[in-house]
C-alpha cells in the first residue's frame, strides 16, 4: 500500500520500507498469511545476503461472514423490501468494519446503508432522500430481530 526509501533520484537508497494492508478473506488466518509472507521474504533474502527484513504487525482483523440462514439477515431483507420496495443484494465485502470484530466475539451483525457513491474518495456522497428510509429499515430490522 505504501513503499518508500532513499533520499533522491540520484542516490542509491540505504534502506526501503513498505506498509501493506492485507485484507483477510474467509479461510485465511493472520498467522498463516504472516507465515507465507515470512517464507517469501526469507527466500528472497537467501538470494541476496544484503537483504534484511523485519515484519511489524500494526493490527489484525479476522475475516467475517454471518451465516445466510441467520435470522438477522431475513429481518434485514424484509425491512428493506418493506421500506424500499425491492430485495437487497446480498454480498460479501472485502473491507473491514467493527462487524468483523463483533462477529468474532459471537455478536451477530451485518452491514448495509444508504445509497450513494464514491466510497472513500474525495467526492463520496449519499443520496439524502434515502437517509430517512434507511433509518426506517434499520429500525424495522432491529425491532423484528429483538422481538423474536
Amino acid at each position: 500500500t505504501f513503499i518508500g526509501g532513499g533520499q533522491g533520484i540520484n542516490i542509491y537508497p540505504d534502506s526501503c520500507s513498505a506498509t501493506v494492508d492485507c485484507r483477510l478473506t474467509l479461510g485465511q488466518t493472520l498467522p498463516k498469511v504472516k507465515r507465507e509472507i515470512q517464507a517469501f521474504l526469507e527466500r528472497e533474502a537467501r538470494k541476496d545476503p544484503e537483504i534484511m527484513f523485519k515484519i511489524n504487525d500494526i493490527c489484525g482483523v479476522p475475516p467475517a461472514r454471518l451465516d445466510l440462514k441467520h435470522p438477522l439477515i431475513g429481518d434485514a431483507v424484509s425491512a428493506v423490501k418493506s421500506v424500499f420496495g425491492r430485495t437487497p443484494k446480498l454480498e460479501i465485502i472485502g473491507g473491514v468494519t467493527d462487524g468483523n470484530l463483533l462477529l468474532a466475539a459471537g455478536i451477530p451483525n451485518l452491514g448495509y446503508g444508504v445509497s450513494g457513491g464514491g466510497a472513500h474518495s474525495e467526492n463520496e456522497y449519499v443520496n439524502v432522500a434515502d437517509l430517512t428510509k434507511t433509518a426506517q429499515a434499520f429500525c424495522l430490522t432491529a425491532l423484528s430481530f429483538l422481538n423474536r
Side-chain angles (χ1 to χ4, degrees):
T1 316
F2 174 79
I3 190 165
Q7 301 298 313
I9 268 181
N10 62 340
I11 302 169
Y12 188 76
D14 63 343
S15 67
C16 175
S17 66
T19 302
V20 178
D21 182 354
C22 179
R23 306 290 173 100
L24 302 181
T25 59
L26 296 174
Q28 291 182 312
T29 64
L30 185 58
K32 181 180 179 201
V33 170
K34 190 173 175 180
R35 281 192 307 271
E36 290 172 354
I37 293 169
Q38 179 88 23
F40 170 78
L41 293 172
E42 286 172 355
R43 281 193 306 274
E44 294 304 308
R46 283 192 294 272
K47 295 175 188 176
D48 183 344
E50 290 188 33
I51 294 177
M52 296 177 286
F53 66 90
K54 178 180 176 187
I55 297 174
N56 296 316
D57 291 337
I58 296 172
C59 73
V61 179
R65 178 179 181 264
L66 185 61
D67 188 311
L68 288 173
K69 294 178 183 169
H70 195 283
L72 182 58
I73 292 180
D75 294 336
V77 168
S78 294
V80 170
K81 278 184 186 178
S82 172
V83 174
F84 287 94
R86 61 181 162 76
T87 302
K89 180 180 174 184
L90 300 178
E91 60 187 7
I92 295 175
I93 61 169
V96 174
T97 69
D98 293 344
N100 295 65
L101 302 172
L102 293 170
L103 280 169
I107 302 169
N109 70 91
L110 53 82
Y112 71 93
V114 69
S115 61
H120 307 298
S121 72
E122 187 175 312
N123 295 315
E124 182 173 8
Y125 69 93
V126 298
N127 293 321
V128 175
D130 285 350
L131 286 171
T132 303
K133 285 184 170 185
T134 301
Q136 289 173 337
F138 286 162
C139 290
L140 286 175
T141 301
L143 287 171
S144 179
F145 184 70
L146 295 173
N147 281 321
R148 294 190 170 277

